[in-house]
Amino acid sequence: DMLCRIAEIHRQRSEFEQMLAFYRKAERLATGDGRLDILKRLVEVSVQLRRFDDAYQRARQVVEFMVARSEAEEAVAFIEGLPN
């Protein structure tokens, strides 16, 4: 949670590389819903930074995570909510 707060501070300062680094650190340490939320944030940030390969890889992780938890409908909704 602290790492995510630090990431958000970097986002507010437009320090995007540092923001990504802290989100990645947080993702490695997180479990369950916390990890899923961070993965979704990484998808969002990667799209905003036009890092579409990274966004795709993270989105894939989100879907795999949801499917493993038998949340197929939520996975479909997540996919449908992604930008074209």
Side-chain angles (χ1 to χ4, degrees):
D1 193 39
M2 178 63 76
L3 293 173
C4 289
R5 285 191 226 141
I6 294 170
E8 284 302 313
I9 291 169
H10 285 295
R11 180 193 287 231
Q12 292 168 359
R13 295 179 180 172
S14 298
E15 299 169 347
F16 300 114
E17 293 302 322
Q18 294 89 341
M19 175 192 63
L20 282 172
F22 277 94
Y23 272 137
R24 288 181 184 130
K25 288 177 187 179
E27 187 261 328
R28 286 193 298 272
L29 298 173
T31 59
D33 288 338
R35 182 167 185 262
L36 182 59
D37 291 341
I38 293 168
L39 286 170
K40 288 179 180 178
R41 287 186 208 170
L42 284 167
V43 170
E44 176 187 320
V45 168
S46 295
V47 168
Q48 290 172 346
L49 295 176
R50 304 184 61 77
R51 295 181 181 185
F52 299 115
D53 289 337
D54 290 340
Y56 172 79
Q57 293 300 323
R58 296 296 180 172
R60 187 175 178 153
Q61 288 179 298
V62 169
V63 170
E64 289 172 355
F65 192 93
M66 290 175 155
V67 169
R69 291 176 21 165
S70 300
E71 298 174 351
E73 289 181 24
E74 291 86 348
V76 170
F78 171 77
I79 292 168
E80 290 174 346
L82 292 173
N84 293 327

